[in-house]
Amino acid sequence: MFRQLPPVPDHPAIEEEILTWWEERGIFQQLRDRNRGGPVWSFVDGPVTANKTLGVHTAWGRTLKDVFQRYKALCGFDQRYQNGFDCQGLWIEVGVERELGLNSKREIEAYGLAEFARKCREKVAWSAQELIRGSKRLGQWMDWGNDYYTFSDTNISYIWGFLKLAHERGWLYRGHRSTEWCPRCGTSISAHELVGSYEERIDPSLFVRFPLIDRPGQSLTIWTTTPWTLPANVAAAVHPDEEYGLKENGEWVAVKRYPDETYVERRRGAELVGWRYRGPFDHLPAAEGIEHRVIGWDEVTMDEGTGLVHIAPGCGTEDFELSRIHDLPIVMPVDEAGRFYDRFGWLHGISTSESAEQIVADLAERGRLVAAGEYAHRYPFCWRCNTPLIFRIADDWFISVDDVRPRLLAANATVDWTPAYFGKRMDDWLRNMGDWNISRRRYFGLPLPIYPCACGHVTVVGSRAELDELATAGMDQLVELHRPWIDAVEIRCPACGTEGVQRIPEIGDVWLDAGIVPFSTLGWQNPERVEGGYGTGAAEGLTGADLPDHNYWQTWFPAHWVSEMREQIRLWFYSQLFMSVCLVDRAPFRSVLGYEKMLDEHGRPMHGSWGNLIPAEEAFSRMGADVMRWQYCDQPPDRDLFFGYGPAHEIKRKLLTLWNSVGFLVRYSNIESFRPTLDDLAAGPAGVELRALDRWLVARTGKLVVDATAALEEQLTYRLIAAFEAFVDDLSNWYIRRSRRRFYAYDAAAFRTLWFALVTGLRVISPVMPFIADHMWRNLVADACAGAPESVFLAGWPEVDEPDERLLDEIAEVRRIVELGREARSTAGVKLRQPLRRVYVRGARLAGTHAQEIAEELRVDEVGFDQGPVAQVRLLPNLRALGPRLGPKVRDVKAALDRGEAEELGDGRVRVAGEELAADEVIRGERVEIAGWGIAHDIALSVAIDIEIDPDLALRGRVYELIHTVNTMRKDAGLELTDRIVLTLPDGEDLLRHEDWIKAETLATRIEPGEALAIAKA
Ligand SMILES: [Zn+2]
Ligand SMILES: [Zn+2]
């Protein structure tokens, strides 16, 4: 006996039950044991930032990872299941700062770095537990508890090794340059962190007068949207080749910008170069000794502003570059927190954003303001704290990329990217990226192991062990490789022997932390495996992960597969590739599955403050993990995912077809005492005579396996979903529909075929919906067949015989004819229940022997092939395409088409008026109606159904109506499927001509005349 199914599945309840059962039975462990020693398939998990609970965004990626790991496990591959957490850097710091109510770096320092580091670790430990809990609920099978944490001393030590190597090769340098800077976080932001951080913003738009010293009464007019940079002005740039003009009011501007003005004097930009002017804030101490002058610059644009550009090398990248070329002084107006230095008089202590209004007012008061307004543009914001960024000159540490660039490109060429354009984007990034800014002026992160000595020698410590050797002080208090402890460690300079050399205070870019993972977690260059050896430093006590040895690395590197969202191209995918190419000159992964963004179901970004953010917990309880996973997998990776309860509802509706099909098998199996045998799973039922329809379902099931395997091998889960949906539709709406009666009386071939098909379907969909798959497997297989694997995941991936494609095509065509026939009926307004006389089919290649099924499905008496009316549509010329090609001849073509004088040539091509038109040169308009016929067609097939209803057909239509009504009454009365009834029939004399038919279909033993239609149990 199978367990009966309720009318609808309770997904969350099923999932909780299966989770407990997996745990109790150790199913995942059994699976790993089973595959140990099998072929290797290496997956490396990209670390998730441990600063939050599981969100539906993260659950998407985790689902994809789990789907492919489960699939590969079903195929027998030995795998690693190490989950990873990103644990340090700005992400973590900003969250902890908020919780502690700290608003600046000064406040963090006052709070105490040691205590701050402990809070950051606490946050990570809490989040890791939350993420693990949520991921388990999602059904993700990982080696929980042996996770990697990027803040472990082991991980940090590996990065030190990488940095040392970069230093030895001469790539590591300290750069003095202009950089995007977050004033709240007090640190520079590097180029790859800027991606996607631009938002629309309104800034002031100022036109400011710079009076010329040697031309009294004349001034330059410049335009700016950043008032705070004006106190740092040192020059004004003109385009040497553009024309500038002096307006009557004494202002110089570019003529091209104001073509309608009257000019009293015109000069080429080159002639303006060298003119001296009075700066906008010359009276402040900071401007002392600065000579402002006009410089030439080819990049001055004539698209906006006045054609004269204000230059402040302390506040902009291009300005800074110009200062090098023209030897301009550099004025730095603001400190790390974005507040004016004291040399700026009344501006001292004011932030860049606060200063805007006051600067405008001050300029106006002093007669320097020409005009002020507002300007909307895209502006970069800090990706962690959302503060508008500014430019500052900073001394940062960089890794130069030019030497590595060609090797990075070569390595990327070996990677198989899905979607393919992600690989192209990586190429673009690799070609255009600048040097990697690796230093951040923050606290809880990778300490950069850089120790500059007064003698000029820079030591880069390559490992924790090396630090032990070089240290002269502070090792006794070194809790872990983090600030403040690491700051107290001093070393001896290997070049001059000086002791007490200190580390630079900066920490490293978090992408170094994640990029080293394919080395640090796999034991690269580690002589001997160390049990629990990965969980060092801050990670101690959080993970039991081992530090493997070099042999292990050789087995598992490079990864066969990694998968993350698109933004990781310039982040994790990039940093991994970079570090891997530097260390071993090859890509760290063979293939990548990337995917686009997640939005809400209406296509809006999800935001906590917009109320459209779905917490994962809520999704688990309201839609269930299987439905979430289906939604994630049904998504082409090159398009944004619209996630929500609406789509979830639709998925549940589709899943009901599967649920009801299983329910059907269960119900009749229990009535007829059907017992399945495990052998049938191999290739369908053997030793029993199968009917044509059974053979078709076996082939159809084989096709599902072939399609699903191809989809998963191509990493396109949405194709797996599409294949599965089509299969369930065929199974339910063709096989079961056409075989129902065989289940009412025991027909072994039908039961065994349906069981085989359903169970194989479950196996194929199990990576996507592991809960429902195992739930049904236990019912249909494990508890029903002796010797069956207890979980679908212990049964392997199904292997099938090559399906009979011709047979499949044949039935596909029959189904298509039936669909078109139904469409023809419905467009003609004839109910499906009404019998009709005949249907004519044109264009069928394979369906000729299926006339009887077609007749039954369409409820017609007669099916004819290659006869009857042909579907016709009005053809119109596509003027846009034809006009240029045919010229005036188009008129003849149109006239001939109007007269219906076109000959179809196949594939949509048409010959008309002596011209051959391509498919896209013809527009196919509405269908031409043919009186007395309902017609439908597609490219290959045309189906015409005779819609004339004579009295005989009308009567039979009424019989069908009656049978339907009575059977509905039976159901409503709660009768068993086998109960016999007595039927009371009013006014039914003519209907009684079909008495036997009615009795058979309603299980009536007797039909009595009476007042109203009624049934009674016989
Ligand atoms: Zn910030
Ligand atoms: Zn030295």
Side-chain angles (χ1 to χ4, degrees):
M1 289 284 274
F2 299 128
R3 282 181 299 281
Q4 295 284 357
L5 268 51
V8 290
D10 179 347
H11 288 284
I14 289 171
E15 289 163 8
E16 295 287 0
E17 182 196 313
I18 291 291
L19 281 171
T20 310
W21 177 76
W22 280 344
E23 191 75 41
E24 281 168 7
R25 297 295 310 152
I27 302 295
F28 177 42
Q29 194 52 49
Q30 287 191 49
L31 174 67
R32 297 184 68 182
D33 292 345
R34 191 184 133 95
N35 289 341
R36 189 155 298 122
V40 161
W41 190 73
S42 176
F43 161 70
V44 171
D45 185 36
V48 57
T49 306
N51 64 347
K52 55 185 176 274
T53 57
L54 183 71
V56 292
H57 296 76
T58 310
W60 181 9
R62 303 212 141 212
T63 294
L64 292 178
K65 291 170 183 178
D66 191 55
V67 165
F68 286 96
Q69 287 214 282
R70 281 182 190 262
Y71 165 64
K72 289 293 179 180
L74 284 165
C75 295
F77 285 91
D78 194 359
Q79 297 176 66
R80 297 179 72 250
Y81 292 89
Q82 191 176 32
N83 164 75
F85 292 116
D86 227 342
C87 313
Q88 52 188 13
L90 260 187
W91 285 311
I92 309 293
E93 286 195 27
V94 168
V96 171
E97 275 178 75
R98 281 201 186 124
E99 279 175 19
L100 295 174
L102 305 176
N103 289 312
S104 68
K105 286 167 73 172
R106 204 167 309 153
E107 287 178 31
I108 296 174
E109 281 168 23
Y111 180 79
L113 291 197
E115 188 56 21
F116 187 69
R118 291 281 65 92
K119 289 282 180 200
C120 289
R121 185 184 181 277
E122 262 173 42
K123 177 90 180 173
V124 168
W126 163 81
S127 165
Q129 286 317 302
E130 283 297 312
L131 288 164
I132 289 174
R133 194 168 60 83
S135 305
K136 282 182 174 172
R137 177 63 187 83
L138 180 68
Q140 192 185 17
W141 273 351
M142 289 297 252
D143 193 4
W144 306 117
N146 291 320
D147 320 81
Y148 71 80
Y149 288 74
T150 59
F151 63 14
S152 89
D153 279 5
T154 311
N155 207 64
I156 289 169
S157 191
Y158 265 95
I159 303 166
W160 284 10
F162 161 78
L163 293 172
K164 181 178 180 182
L165 179 117
H167 180 54
E168 284 167 357
R169 295 192 185 159
W171 297 336
L172 191 68
Y173 71 93
R174 189 171 198 225
H176 180 72
R177 53 169 72 181
S178 176
T179 161
E180 271 97 349
W181 186 278
C182 174
R184 199 216 65 88
C185 295
T187 188
S188 53
I189 302 285
S190 75
H192 56 240
E193 291 173 310
L194 278 171
V195 174
S197 63
Y198 280 75
E199 288 172 25
E200 199 69 27
R201 146 173 165 128
I202 308 266
D203 270 315
S205 160
L206 301 192
F207 292 85
V208 181
R209 193 173 287 133
F210 290 172
L212 290 165
I213 291 174
D214 303 313
R215 294 175 153 252
Q218 298 180 13
S219 61
L220 309 170
T221 302
I222 63 92
W223 174 70
T224 182
T225 58
T226 48
W228 68 271
T229 63
L230 284 170
N233 173 274
V234 300
V238 293
H239 196 295
D241 302 328
E242 294 289 343
E243 192 184 26
Y244 289 81
L246 177 65
K247 296 199 288 185
E248 283 170 323
N249 64 2
E251 290 174 16
W252 283 91
V253 292
V255 172
K256 214 177 252 177
R257 293 295 304 147
Y258 302 92
D260 302 331
E261 286 284 341
T262 318
Y263 294 101
V264 295
E265 185 182 346
R266 291 173 185 245
R267 286 173 181 272
R268 265 180 10 98
E271 297 176 58
L272 274 61
V273 170
W275 289 3
R276 297 180 304 145
Y277 64 87
R278 281 200 288 282
F281 288 91
D282 278 356
H283 54 293
L284 299 181
E288 222 167 87
I290 289 181
E291 190 183 77
H292 302 272
R293 60 187 166 93
V294 176
I295 58 169
W297 186 26
D298 288 340
E299 302 292 313
V300 171
T301 165
M302 294 294 135
D303 298 335
E304 57 185 8
T306 61
L308 283 135
V309 177
H310 135 70
I311 303 294
C315 316
T317 303
E318 291 165 317
D319 305 45
F320 182 74
E321 296 307 321
L322 284 171
S323 78
R324 293 187 162 176
I325 298 165
H326 296 278
D327 194 22
L328 303 174
I330 296 169
V331 179
M332 292 262 290
V334 295
D335 64 13
E336 284 196 347
R339 294 182 181 276
F340 279 93
Y341 287 117
D342 56 3
R343 282 164 49 75
F344 288 82
W346 59 271
L347 285 161
H348 177 212
I350 298 177
S351 76
T352 52
S353 50
E354 292 161 359
S355 68
E357 241 174 77
Q358 302 181 47
I359 286 175
V360 174
D362 180 65
L363 290 168
E365 207 169 292
R366 291 190 286 117
R368 290 296 195 89
L369 190 67
V370 178
E374 283 183 341
Y375 183 69
H377 60 157
R378 312 271 303 160
Y379 194 87
F381 287 72
C382 173
W383 69 326
R384 283 300 116 208
C385 72
N386 212 34
T387 303
L389 299 180
I390 59 173
F391 276 94
R392 272 192 94 238
I393 309 293
D395 289 327
D396 281 317
W397 287 86
F398 292 85
I399 297 176
S400 66
V401 301
D402 283 335
D403 280 2
V404 201
R405 200 188 308 271
R407 291 198 278 141
L408 288 169
L409 286 160
N412 189 42
T414 67
V415 178
D416 176 21
W417 287 84
T418 303
Y421 69 88
F422 279 33
K424 174 81 179 47
R425 275 167 196 260
M426 176 61 98
D427 267 347
D428 291 346
W429 169 249
L430 295 175
R431 283 203 182 88
N432 297 313
M433 67 185 179
D435 290 351
W436 185 355
N437 177 341
I438 58 162
S439 60
R440 301 289 181 274
R441 288 147 202 273
R442 297 291 306 186
Y443 306 103
F444 190 67
L446 159 79
L448 290 177
I450 303 173
Y451 293 79
C453 174
C455 79
H457 182 81
V458 174
T459 305
V460 176
V461 175
S463 68
R464 162 82 208 224
E466 220 177 291
L467 185 68
D468 275 326
E469 277 169 36
L470 291 172
T472 53
M475 289 305 279
D476 49 337
Q477 55 81 56
L478 185 62
V479 178
E480 62 194 45
L481 297 182
H482 280 114
R483 302 183 69 187
W485 307 288
I486 186 70
D487 295 345
V489 176
E490 296 173 347
I491 68 161
R492 181 185 307 105
C493 172
C496 70
T498 302
E499 296 200 349
V501 177
Q502 289 185 321
R503 194 185 74 85
I504 60 165
E506 282 89 339
I507 63 165
D509 180 4
V510 287
W511 297 106
L512 290 165
D513 301 337
I516 201 68
V517 160
F519 297 89
S520 61
T521 62
L522 300 179
W524 182 62
Q525 290 194 340
N526 185 44
E528 248 173 68
R529 178 179 201 90
V530 187
E531 210 143 297
Y534 181 87
T536 49
E540 204 181 324
L542 295 180
T543 175
D546 299 336
L547 178 61
D549 61 17
H550 192 73
N551 281 335
Y552 185 88
W553 179 83
Q554 285 181 312
T555 305
W556 295 97
F557 180 94
H560 286 90
W561 188 73
V562 292
S563 175
E564 304 291 335
M565 69 189 308
R566 189 179 76 183
E567 68 176 14
Q568 299 297 341
I569 291 172
R570 296 177 201 209
L571 301 172
W572 187 56
F573 293 143
Y574 165 66
S575 67
Q576 259 195 101
L577 184 70
F578 191 98
M579 294 171 97
S580 183
V581 165
C582 288
L583 294 175
V584 296
D585 202 11
R586 64 177 300 182
F589 34 74
R590 294 179 167 101
S591 77
V592 182
L593 172 62
Y595 47 94
E596 291 285 349
K597 287 199 298 290
M598 179 189 286
L599 303 169
D600 75 8
E601 61 187 85
H602 305 294
R604 293 197 318 157
M606 291 192 190
H607 278 302
S609 56
W610 292 0
N612 63 348
L613 188 75
I614 301 177
E617 289 293 331
E618 184 191 297
F620 290 140
S621 60
R622 278 185 60 192
M623 61 177 95
D626 272 339
V627 174
M628 290 166 71
R629 294 171 65 113
W630 176 290
Q631 202 169 157
Y632 297 137
C633 290
D634 197 14
Q635 179 61 30
D638 56 352
R639 267 172 268 160
D640 291 340
L641 166 61
F642 291 8
F643 184 87
Y645 291 107
H649 183 78
E650 191 56 25
I651 291 164
K652 284 188 178 180
R653 204 184 52 77
K654 284 182 191 164
L655 281 176
L656 269 188
T657 310
L658 172 70
W659 186 260
N660 290 337
S661 300
V662 174
F664 175 85
L665 176 70
V666 165
R667 191 158 56 244
Y668 288 98
S669 294
N670 290 347
I671 293 171
E672 302 294 335
S673 304
F674 164 66
R675 294 299 303 260
T677 40
L678 201 56
D679 290 345
D680 283 359
L681 272 193
V688 62
E689 193 164 337
L690 298 184
R691 296 200 197 172
L693 198 58
D694 302 330
R695 282 198 305 277
W696 167 77
L697 185 59
V698 170
R700 183 66 189 81
T701 307
K703 172 112 172 82
L704 169 69
V705 175
V706 169
D707 290 349
T709 308
L712 286 166
E713 290 297 329
E714 285 174 76
Q715 311 184 34
L716 296 175
T717 51
Y718 73 97
R719 291 207 187 142
L720 165 64
I721 300 278
F724 184 72
E725 276 186 41
F727 166 76
V728 171
D729 179 59
D730 273 340
L731 178 142
S732 166
N733 293 321
W734 193 252
Y735 183 81
I736 293 182
R737 185 182 156 81
R738 300 271 333 135
S739 314
R740 244 169 232 288
R741 282 164 199 283
R742 299 169 64 199
F743 290 87
Y744 300 162
Y746 186 73
D747 179 333
F751 277 97
R752 287 172 63 182
T753 305
L754 181 57
W755 181 81
F756 159 73
L758 278 171
V759 171
T760 307
L762 292 177
R763 296 171 72 188
V764 160
I765 205 65
S766 65
V768 174
M769 299 198 300
F771 297 105
I772 207 91
D774 242 351
H775 177 74
M776 287 183 172
W777 174 273
R778 293 178 69 195
N779 191 6
L780 297 182
V781 186
D783 296 348
C785 304
E790 58 182 316
S791 161
V792 69
F793 295 102
L794 301 176
W797 186 249
E799 285 173 23
V800 290
D801 298 336
E802 194 63 35
D804 180 343
E805 292 285 347
R806 199 199 133 88
L807 175 60
L808 291 170
D809 289 347
E810 192 175 307
I811 302 300
E813 189 176 273
V814 172
R815 286 211 67 191
R816 188 69 193 125
I817 290 168
V818 169
E819 266 171 42
L820 287 170
R822 294 204 178 112
E823 185 190 322
R825 292 182 73 117
S826 91
T827 44
V830 183
K831 274 191 187 172
L832 287 175
R833 213 165 281 140
Q834 174 61 53
L836 293 171
R837 198 58 75 195
R838 63 182 65 84
V839 66
Y840 289 137
V841 180
R842 282 179 181 270
R845 293 176 302 116
L846 307 162
T849 56
H850 296 270
Q852 197 197 333
E853 286 130 285
I854 294 169
E856 284 172 17
E857 289 295 313
L858 290 177
R859 204 160 275 181
V860 294
D861 295 344
E862 183 196 333
V863 179
F865 289 95
D866 300 322
Q867 51 180 306
V870 181
Q872 275 187 336
V873 292
R874 273 178 235 292
L875 299 181
L876 305 161
N878 180 354
L879 295 174
R880 193 173 299 171
L882 276 179
R885 182 161 84 81
L886 295 182
K889 182 94 208 289
V890 168
R891 237 170 292 144
D892 302 344
V893 167
K894 183 173 185 317
L897 286 174
D898 284 347
R899 293 192 300 272
E901 294 169 1
E903 183 193 348
E904 295 277 358
L905 300 174
D907 302 333
R909 292 171 303 120
V910 165
R911 180 173 299 128
V912 60
E915 294 289 336
E916 191 181 314
L917 310 189
D920 60 353
E921 291 175 329
V922 184
I923 296 168
R924 289 173 185 270
E926 82 271 28
R927 190 163 30 231
V928 181
E929 299 292 337
I930 300 175
W933 293 86
I935 295 194
H937 74 285
D938 62 16
I939 290 172
L941 293 164
S942 163
V943 177
I945 199 155
D946 183 345
I947 54 172
E948 194 190 306
I949 300 167
D950 61 28
D952 169 53
L953 287 171
L955 177 64
R956 279 156 58 198
R958 285 175 53 219
V959 172
Y960 277 116
E961 284 293 343
L962 175 69
I963 291 167
H964 175 75
T965 310
V966 170
N967 282 333
T968 307
M969 291 166 76
R970 288 181 57 108
K971 229 177 255 172
D972 294 346
L975 293 185
E976 292 293 326
L977 291 168
T978 48
D979 285 340
R980 306 273 149 176
I981 57 164
V982 175
L983 176 63
T984 308
L985 184 65
D987 316 322
E989 272 166 46
D990 54 347
L991 289 172
L992 285 178
R993 274 197 265 153
H994 295 288
E995 183 171 357
D996 291 344
W997 177 17
I998 297 167
K999 281 179 170 171
E1001 291 293 327
T1002 59
L1003 297 191
T1005 52
R1006 223 168 51 237
I1007 300 182
E1008 297 172 345
E1011 290 285 295
L1013 186 67
I1015 59 169
K1017 208 169 155 181

